[in-house]
Amino acid sequence: MRGASMAERRVRSFSITRLPGFGVIALATFVLLYVPIVTLVVFSFNAQASMSTWGGFSLTWYEAAFNNRQVREVSIRSLWLAVVASGLATMVATLAALATTRTSRFRGQTMIYALINQPLMVPEVVTGVALLIFFAAIRVQTGYSGMGYLVIAHTAFCIPFAYLPIKARLETMDLTLERAAADLYASPWQAFRHITLPLVMPGVMAGFMLGFVISLDTVVITEFVKAAGQDTLPTYMLGQLRRQVTPEMNAIATLFLALSVVAVTIFFVLSRKRA
Amino acid sequence: MATPAPKPASTPAPGARVTEIEIGALSKTFGRGAQAFRALSDVSVSINRGEFFTLLGPSGCGKTTLLRLIAGFEQPSGGTLRIGGREVAGLGPNQRPVNTVFQNYALFPHMSVAENIGFGLRMQRRPAAERRETVDRMLRLVRMEAMADRRPTQISGGQQQRVALARALAPQPRVLLLDEPLSALDLKLRKEMQSELKRLQLETGITFVFVTHDQEEALTMSDRVAVMSEGRILQTGTPEEIYNRPADRFVADFIGDTNFLDAVVQDITATHAVVRLPGGARLAANLPAGGGTAAGATVTVVIRPEHARLVGDSADGPADEGAVLSGQVERSVFFGTDTHVHLRLSDGTPFVVRRQNTAAATPPPEIGREVSVALAGGAVQVLRN
């Protein structure tokens, strides 16, 4: 009996799922990832002003959040910023992706890749401090202190995130398609308009969604760059936590979470769509 | 937008030859300096209107480069290229009255079959009614009426091929370029598409320039074939000329099976020579176009295996009649319709004879046996040196 089972075990191929401790580690990972989030969501429906004792179901805190003028203001600012910054970043990233995939290889192409993706490697704090100093200099020179700084900062930060899905999409696209369009009397612009653009569109939308979520979520860079009265939702929440914490924060965070889940889902659906 | 409206090629009068494509000393070099690669050197050829013209050669011989130059995807490094009498060097692919069927079809995946076929007409801004009418006619021509609303991913490889053809034919180009369009199909479908292509070419009267590395495809479909190697055209001619009267060792070797023998020219006229074969037999031989040899010279001659016959191995004819070569049987290979008998001639040269496996055929001679070989009249072709 024992001998047979040993032999059986030997012929089975290696699988990580059979290593000792695999189940425990997997479970612990999921618990650590999702229990805090579930707790946050559950307590957003708490009738009491407590984050630890359950006092029955209620939508009080959602109501409070909606009626909070400041929350409305920072939410709208966050959404506006995310849409504008991600939109600009997607445009730039689309052009960059076209230039790096739809042309024959050129000198310095690897360098260009590295430069485009560099923001992913640079610590956010460094980018934040750099932008703070740079923008301060401009502010002194021009006196301008509007949302432009945040838009530029977020756009720059979002470009590599938007670039990756667009580039991935373009790389799966047959280069002969544009050639076929040209052969069928399409001018370069018509070939782009009728062939390249519709085919790359899912990648562009995915890039936009990813950039949108990244912009919505960014705390560090916003914290460094924002002027007075330019709080976004994440920096506002951070500020509130220093004072008194009520489940209103849970309600805001839950809504925020829902929005991110929707955006990320759209991103995945779009980037899985086949060319 | 400088899109020309290519007029349908008017059907030439029977027997009249109108040149559609005139290529003069065309060359193409890729890269620069030490890495420069000469893909095409000094290619000159003229292709007639309404002709099925094939560029045949192994991969890397320059046939696809030549096709791309005609299409306008590449610009020549030198030489002239005229289509319908007009110099097209410097014009983009969208400005040439030429359409291409791509090796991988390159159908637009986000458009239906009908939209794919209508794309060229749409880019030419033809009126909607004319577009609809032409698309319907093209769908009928390639027998795809039932698939008009399908996406390219929803139809089979053979159907995609037919859509690609219809899409390229719809704008009624002067010339249709086909870049190994059958290579992705399985054998049975390929045979079907070969006759389909030939039918389309005859029905539309459009000049077809077909690129392939498959000699059988080239021989069965073409009016004329240009055999290419290393960026040059080695020989241009009808399939019969290319096969029966190869001018060059590469051409003879690339197309069909053949025997190469060394021979000495004994006597020479404008088109024929008398050569002495190994073993001493003297025979009349065809000279390649341009001649280029003299009495006393050693030349290479080719003899197709089916133009040779074993004597004394069967009942037909007296034992030694017409025998010009002799050798020993090394092995026989059975191919169904025929058997290849491999010989070693007395001077050591290998030689293959093809025996037709008729109902009356006797078994091939056994290994080791001494046999004699007779040749059909006109079987010996002298190669260019």
Side-chain angles (χ1 to χ4, degrees):
Chain A
M1 276 292 279
R2 201 184 154 77
S5 77
M6 284 290 283
E8 206 180 14
R9 203 170 298 166
R10 220 173 296 133
V11 296
R12 266 196 225 148
S13 60
F14 172 79
S15 164
I16 197 160
T17 57
R18 268 193 293 279
L19 288 183
F22 176 82
V24 176
I25 293 169
L27 189 70
T29 308
F30 280 109
V31 165
L32 283 173
L33 265 175
Y34 288 104
V35 168
I37 295 176
V38 171
T39 314
L40 172 118
V41 173
V42 168
F43 275 92
S44 73
F45 297 106
N46 197 356
Q48 284 183 18
S50 163
M51 315 243 327
S52 48
T53 47
W54 181 250
F57 180 84
S58 140
L59 291 174
T60 321
W61 302 112
Y62 285 89
E63 207 187 319
F66 275 111
N67 289 330
N68 186 332
R69 196 182 52 78
Q70 236 182 331
V71 170
R72 278 210 307 271
E73 200 178 278
V74 296
S75 300
I76 289 166
R77 186 176 298 120
S78 258
L79 288 173
W80 177 87
L81 181 60
V83 169
V84 172
S86 181
L88 289 173
T90 307
M91 257 185 266
V92 175
T94 304
L95 296 179
L98 283 169
T100 50
T101 59
R102 295 330 251 182
T103 53
S104 50
R105 280 195 68 87
F106 53 88
R107 262 178 74 90
Q109 195 163 343
T110 318
M111 185 68 184
I112 300 275
Y113 283 137
L115 284 175
I116 292 171
N117 291 317
Q118 199 53 40
L120 299 176
M121 261 70 89
V122 178
E124 258 188 86
V125 181
V126 174
T127 313
V129 171
L131 288 170
L132 175 72
I133 295 165
F134 183 60
F135 289 155
I138 296 177
R139 195 169 299 169
V140 167
Q141 294 295 316
T142 63
Y144 173 73
S145 59
M147 283 293 284
Y149 300 112
L150 273 178
V151 169
I152 292 170
H154 277 225
T155 302
F157 187 66
C158 288
I159 287 172
F161 293 95
Y163 173 74
L164 291 175
I166 299 171
K167 174 170 168 274
R169 175 81 187 179
L170 280 168
E171 275 172 350
T172 64
M173 262 170 68
D174 186 0
L175 267 171
T176 41
L177 292 177
E178 281 107 338
R179 197 171 275 173
D183 187 59
L184 292 161
Y185 314 110
S187 64
W189 166 250
Q190 284 175 314
F192 177 74
R193 161 84 189 71
H194 295 289
I195 307 300
T196 318
L197 194 60
L199 286 172
V200 77
M201 215 49 206
V204 172
M205 291 310 295
F208 176 80
M209 284 302 161
L210 202 59
F212 178 80
V213 171
I214 296 292
S215 163
L216 211 57
D217 183 51
T218 296
V219 179
V220 179
I221 286 179
T222 315
E223 198 64 60
F224 276 102
V225 172
K226 75 180 163 79
Q230 289 185 348
D231 263 316
T232 61
L233 194 57
T235 59
Y236 168 77
M237 285 168 75
L238 201 63
Q240 290 302 299
L241 292 181
R242 293 200 199 106
R243 298 176 202 138
Q244 178 209 6
V245 185
T246 67
E248 188 185 332
M249 278 300 114
N250 295 39
I252 297 167
T254 303
L255 290 170
F256 199 41
L257 175 70
L259 184 64
S260 289
V261 167
V262 168
V264 172
T265 307
I266 294 173
F267 161 75
F268 271 111
V269 169
L270 288 172
S271 46
R272 283 181 50 173
K273 215 171 159 184
R274 293 199 38 197
Chain B
M1 208 182 58
T3 308
K7 291 196 180 65
S10 56
T11 329
R17 281 214 184 136
V18 184
T19 300
E20 189 68 90
I21 305 179
E22 182 75 57
I23 293 167
L26 203 65
S27 63
K28 176 68 185 175
T29 308
F30 291 105
R32 225 172 287 163
Q35 283 153 17
F37 169 67
R38 208 164 166 79
L40 216 57
S41 347
D42 257 356
V43 166
S44 297
V45 65
S46 55
I47 299 171
N48 299 323
R49 181 171 298 171
E51 189 171 38
F52 196 120
F53 192 89
T54 297
L55 300 170
L56 173 66
S59 55
C61 72
K63 58 189 192 299
T64 298
T65 302
L66 181 52
L67 197 79
R68 286 188 182 170
L69 286 171
I70 300 173
F73 301 135
E74 305 280 357
Q75 295 294 339
S77 312
T80 58
L81 173 55
R82 294 171 167 278
I83 299 172
R86 189 161 74 116
E87 176 63 51
V88 292
L91 295 183
N94 57 326
Q95 296 165 316
R96 299 187 184 196
V98 168
N99 289 147
T100 308
V101 177
F102 293 86
Q103 187 166 13
N104 62 354
Y105 317 142
L107 296 177
F108 306 129
H110 58 303
M111 294 183 194
S112 71
V113 164
E115 284 167 340
N116 264 283
I117 296 174
F119 186 80
L121 301 165
R122 203 168 123 213
M123 292 302 107
Q124 288 181 319
R125 317 217 162 154
R126 305 270 187 94
E130 185 200 328
R131 264 155 46 192
R132 251 195 317 278
E133 192 268 325
T134 308
V135 169
D136 284 346
R137 191 156 44 79
M138 288 298 141
L139 284 167
R140 277 197 305 280
L141 188 69
V142 296
R143 306 190 182 109
M144 289 289 290
E145 300 98 314
M147 305 284 176
D149 297 323
R150 299 268 189 100
R151 290 292 171 97
T153 47
Q154 298 168 320
I155 58 179
S156 72
Q159 291 168 334
Q160 289 179 20
Q161 164 81 83
R162 298 222 290 275
V163 174
L165 265 167
R167 183 179 70 176
L169 286 170
Q172 291 176 293
R174 298 186 81 105
V175 179
L176 187 74
L177 306 174
L178 302 107
D179 186 9
E180 308 219 19
L182 307 180
S183 58
L185 303 177
D186 61 41
L187 187 66
K188 190 163 172 287
L189 207 52
R190 190 156 54 206
K191 296 276 177 211
E192 261 175 54
M193 281 309 298
Q194 283 181 13
S195 52
E196 181 93 359
L197 271 180
K198 194 69 201 171
R199 176 181 71 86
L200 286 172
Q201 197 254 332
L202 292 172
E203 270 180 40
T204 55
I206 290 173
T207 311
F208 277 35
V209 180
F210 184 85
V211 159
T212 185
H213 62 267
D214 183 324
Q215 43 126 341
E216 190 199 315
E217 225 164 71
L219 294 180
T220 53
M221 300 167 73
S222 322
D223 295 320
R224 282 197 305 151
V225 180
V227 184
M228 295 186 70
S229 172
E230 293 175 346
R232 293 173 192 281
I233 291 182
L234 299 177
Q235 190 176 359
T236 308
T238 64
E240 290 82 1
E241 282 166 2
I242 296 281
Y243 185 84
N244 290 328
R245 315 229 5 219
D248 175 285
R249 188 179 188 102
F250 180 88
V251 176
D253 203 22
F254 190 71
I255 298 168
D257 301 316
T258 199
N259 295 300
F260 293 99
L261 296 177
D262 287 330
V264 179
V265 178
Q266 304 269 295
D267 197 5
I268 192 161
T269 68
T271 55
H272 287 79
V274 174
V275 296
R276 197 179 68 226
L277 296 184
R282 291 157 63 101
L283 271 180
N286 301 313
L287 284 175
T293 187
T298 303
V299 291
T300 304
V301 299
V302 289
I303 300 164
R304 294 287 180 193
E306 67 273 23
H307 294 158
R309 179 170 58 86
L310 295 179
V311 289
D313 98 294
S314 67
D316 51 2
D320 273 347
E321 196 208 13
V324 291
L325 297 164
S326 62
Q328 202 172 31
V329 177
E330 284 204 320
R331 64 200 161 95
S332 295
V333 185
F334 177 70
F335 279 95
T337 56
D338 46 36
T339 297
H340 293 190
V341 181
H342 292 252
L343 310 177
R344 179 73 57 181
L345 300 183
S346 19
D347 72 333
T349 323
F351 194 89
V352 180
V353 176
R354 184 176 293 172
R355 272 172 114 247
Q356 190 83 33
N357 289 330
T358 56
T362 51
E366 61 274 23
I367 290 164
R369 192 164 143 201
E370 288 291 336
V371 292
S372 299
V373 177
L375 300 177
V380 186
Q381 169 72 34
V382 177
L383 295 182
R384 210 159 45 200
N385 275 336

